[in-house]
Amino acid sequence: IHSVRSDNRQGIELSVEYLLETGHGRLGMVAGPQTSSAFTERLIAFREIMKEKNLPLPEEYLIVSEGFGYTSGFNAARKLLGSLTVKPDALLVGSDDISFGVIRGIESLGFRVPEDISVIGFDDISTSRLFTPALTTIRQNKKAIGETAGKILIDLIREKGHKHPRETKIPVNLIVRDSVKMRKN
């Protein structure tokens, strides 16, 4: 079986590097449900990258949302932040849909995004630029994923599939918007 998907590790690495460049030091994550391989890859990548960069990662800064949408993000943010005395100054979130709920969950506790806690999503769905604050996110190249998968499928049908790797990762891009704020060091 061949797979074509976004480079989830690259996306998490771009997010962590950008947050560090903008002065964030306490990073946390609201991961998506681990029944999804993409969400699992993103959480594993976050743990690995934080370790590689020798950055602290308290377990209480990590939470897995119960679902894939707004309400799950809202509940996860409230659960994560409600029990902490020292809050993370930035959260990476497994998807844009979950991010929208995370942002409103943060606000429901009296914090502001991005002034108090910055948020980075993953996907760059069409509403990400329209949300308030506009969501900084990782853009997946859906067109390239579809085109690549189509080419591999045609080659497989023509019995030329052996020339393709079993797994193809498509590069992603960081899209900077308003949900991340430069921190003073």
Side-chain angles (χ1 to χ4, degrees):
I1 297 175
H2 292 263
S3 71
V4 180
R5 55 202 163 104
S6 293
D7 189 336
N8 290 303
R9 181 180 172 82
Q10 179 194 26
I12 297 301
E13 193 160 18
L14 289 170
S15 298
V16 169
E17 287 173 359
Y18 180 66
L19 289 170
L20 294 175
E21 288 168 12
T22 53
H24 297 79
R26 294 185 314 273
L27 310 183
M29 183 172 199
V30 178
Q34 298 299 285
T35 54
S36 160
S37 62
F39 287 141
T40 301
E41 283 181 17
R42 293 170 194 167
L43 179 56
I44 289 168
F46 182 64
R47 287 180 186 276
E48 289 175 352
I49 291 164
M50 293 294 284
K51 186 175 182 179
E52 289 165 13
K53 294 185 178 296
N54 293 315
L55 297 169
L57 182 57
E59 278 300 310
E60 59 267 22
Y61 281 14
L62 300 174
I63 192 166
V64 175
S65 70
E66 294 176 354
F68 296 89
Y70 177 94
T71 302
S72 296
F74 183 89
N75 293 338
R78 289 186 55 85
K79 184 176 180 182
L80 175 75
L81 298 172
S83 64
L84 297 175
T85 52
V86 177
K87 311 284 189 247
D89 52 29
L91 291 172
L92 279 72
V93 185
S95 76
D96 290 355
D97 283 327
I98 296 170
S99 295
F100 301 147
V102 166
I103 289 171
R104 294 299 177 253
I106 291 168
E107 292 171 344
S108 76
L109 293 169
F111 300 103
R112 299 166 298 152
V113 174
E115 292 82 3
D116 300 315
I117 301 173
S118 292
V119 175
I120 294 184
F122 205 110
D123 293 327
D124 195 30
I125 61 175
S126 60
T127 51
S128 297
R129 63 184 174 80
L130 304 173
F131 195 79
T132 303
L135 185 63
T136 296
T137 188
I138 296 297
R139 176 178 290 157
Q140 299 189 78
N141 189 337
K142 295 173 190 166
K143 183 177 185 222
I145 291 171
E147 287 174 351
T148 303
K151 288 175 187 173
I152 290 172
L153 180 59
I154 289 167
D155 284 347
L156 287 169
I157 292 168
R158 293 180 178 159
E159 298 183 11
K160 297 178 186 173
H162 61 277
K163 70 179 188 178
H164 296 285
R166 293 276 182 205
E167 179 181 74
T168 303
K169 292 184 181 179
I170 304 297
V172 295
N173 300 96
L174 175 70
I175 305 302
V176 176
R177 296 194 181 106
D178 301 331
S179 64
V180 173
K181 181 180 180 186
M182 177 70 76
R183 300 270 183 240
K184 295 178 183 168
N185 291 334

